[in-house]
Amino acid sequence: MGGGGGRGKRSVRGRATPSTTAAEEEEEEEEERKREEGEGILATEEDLGEDDGEELQAAWVPRLRVRGRTRPRACQSRQPRMTPWRLLRCCQWTAAWVPVLFIAVVICWSYYTFVVELCLFTIAAQEEEGKAAIYLVIFHLSFVLFMWSYWKTIFTPPVCPSKEFFLSQSDEEHYEKEERPEVQQEILKRVAKELPVYTMTSTKLIRYCEKCQLIKPDRCHHCSVCNKCVLKMDHHCPWVNNCVGFSNYKYFLLFLFYSLVYCILVTTTVLEYFIKFWTLCRRKSAENCPKTNLRNTRAQFHVLFLFFVATMFFISILSLFCYHLWLVGKNRTTIEAFRAPVFLNGPDKNGFSLGWSKNWRQVFGDEKKYWLFPIFTSLGDGVHFPTRLMMDKEHVTGTNHHEHTRSSGSTQNFSVGPLSESKNFLLATGSEQDVSSGNIYLLYLLL
């Protein structure tokens, strides 16, 4: 009995029942069919290259979505994911445009209020069509110049240093492997020998950007928002979502100027009707008069609010514009106003000042007819800057360089490094240039 029972159990283990065999055969057939479908399409990560994985993902993902099956592990690892860092960068990019969008909304609303509510529904309705036409012509002239300057300030990309300021691959590898700061400085000095670099750090070292891996030209700084080094960087302005530097500083000044003109024009033209509407509103509120024209009430609201907004912006922009006019007169950037550039003879806030007239022309150019238009007329290339004082003949890196003078009685020669001419700017050569004023120090290409 015991032996028979044991044999019975062994027969059950060794031989499957008909129902069990059918279920296992179906599972094996299903697995075989899945294997055949995936054969030639799926591959292991070891057999796939980087390009093959991307092609595999593009070919396999649509099929998986249609059939509703789970994506293989190899494809899951190669699928681009929205990492927290990418999500943060996306949010930062979106938030950076919020101030610009706010200014755009205010400008559009002010345009509608002045043109429609004031000129058409208020002034023209009082049979003063000639007055309304004059207002519209003057308003649109200032509006076009204002928007032109604002557009150029926003969408003019900041200029970065040219390739001559970057370390070569061998120097970069040597610099990164070297742990001794003094040896790293020797590497930078050797590279900077032929570069027009005259300013240093506060500790008399070569100004080097670890993020961009380049030797910073004079007046160049790294912008943490744009994540790049910007030539003659003044500041990063959130209201234009752009770095204000060598390429768009003139546009920024004109933007501030035409903003003031725009606010003054709106305030002075609206003031008459602001007083009328204000007294009318006070009289109606005193009399508790419920019967008012809906169109007149809407126009009154827009005109009153426009006066307050224009006055508020005028006061805030006026102080900023006056400050930047002072900076232009001193030939300083906002950064240099707070932290003086360091030369071989020490820090000097007025190191680049050449006098008010020359400082002004360095930003706006020699052609007076282009000063009020947002067209690039600044002198130089953003790398070479004449200095106020006589520079020592010894270069920052230990080599000789040309002397920079402030004399106004003779033409000046300025050092020219081994830089290729930019397609946007031309740098004056060492030869003397004769002009009517007798004092020109850089040639430029007018954009």
Side-chain angles (χ1 to χ4, degrees), residues 18-190:
S19 60
T20 304
T21 303
E24 291 179 354
E25 287 178 356
E26 289 179 0
E27 291 179 0
E28 290 177 359
E29 289 177 0
E30 182 67 15
E31 292 177 359
E32 184 68 18
R33 187 171 63 84
K34 291 180 180 180
R35 194 179 302 111
E36 290 176 357
E37 288 178 351
E39 191 171 313
I41 299 177
L42 294 179
T44 61
E45 292 187 36
E46 292 81 3
D47 297 332
L48 286 175
E50 205 168 340
D51 296 333
D52 297 332
E54 294 176 358
E55 295 176 359
L56 169 63
Q57 180 181 352
W60 183 245
V61 168
R63 294 181 60 184
L64 293 176
R65 288 179 179 173
V66 173
R67 298 185 181 184
R69 295 177 182 172
T70 305
R71 183 177 287 104
R73 184 173 299 177
C75 293
Q76 289 179 355
S77 63
R78 296 183 182 277
Q79 181 189 9
R81 300 175 181 176
M82 180 60 72
T83 61
W85 174 249
R86 290 184 179 179
L87 181 61
L88 178 62
R89 294 293 296 177
C90 183
C91 294
Q92 289 178 344
W93 182 89
T94 304
W97 286 100
V98 171
V100 179
L101 181 62
F102 171 76
I103 295 297
V105 171
V106 173
I107 293 173
C108 292
W109 169 78
S110 66
Y111 181 88
Y112 164 79
T113 301
F114 190 91
V115 174
V116 179
E117 298 293 344
L118 180 64
C119 293
L120 298 183
F121 289 164
T122 302
I123 300 178
Q126 298 177 0
E127 297 182 356
E128 297 179 344
E129 291 83 0
K131 185 177 182 180
I134 295 174
Y135 280 2
L136 288 175
V137 171
I138 298 176
F139 173 81
H140 281 91
L141 286 176
S142 63
F143 182 79
V144 169
L145 291 172
F146 166 57
M147 291 303 299
W148 188 7
S149 303
Y150 190 43
W151 179 274
K152 294 284 285 185
T153 306
I154 295 175
F155 295 104
T156 299
V159 179
C160 301
S162 57
K163 62 181 180 180
E164 285 80 4
F165 290 91
F166 289 84
L167 297 182
S168 63
Q169 185 176 0
S170 59
D171 291 330
E172 182 180 339
E173 293 177 354
H174 189 193
Y175 180 86
E176 292 178 351
K177 292 179 181 179
E178 185 58 53
E179 298 181 355
R180 292 170 295 178
E182 60 275 8
V183 179
Q184 289 181 337
Q185 277 298 308
E186 290 299 327
I187 297 173
L188 296 180
K189 287 182 179 181
R190 177 173 52 82

Side-chain angles (χ1 to χ4, degrees), residues 232-250:
K232 196 185 177 183
M233 178 180 173
D234 188 87
H235 68 287
H236 184 92
C237 181
W239 298 107
V240 299
N241 191 26
N242 196 6
C243 259
V244 178
F246 174 76
S247 61
N248 60 351
Y249 188 58
K250 178 189 175 183

Side-chain angles (χ1 to χ4, degrees), residues 9-25:
K9 289 180 181 179
R10 284 194 298 270
S11 64
V12 171
R13 290 195 189 106
R15 185 176 66 253
T17 61
S19 60
T20 304
T21 303
E24 291 179 354
E25 287 178 356

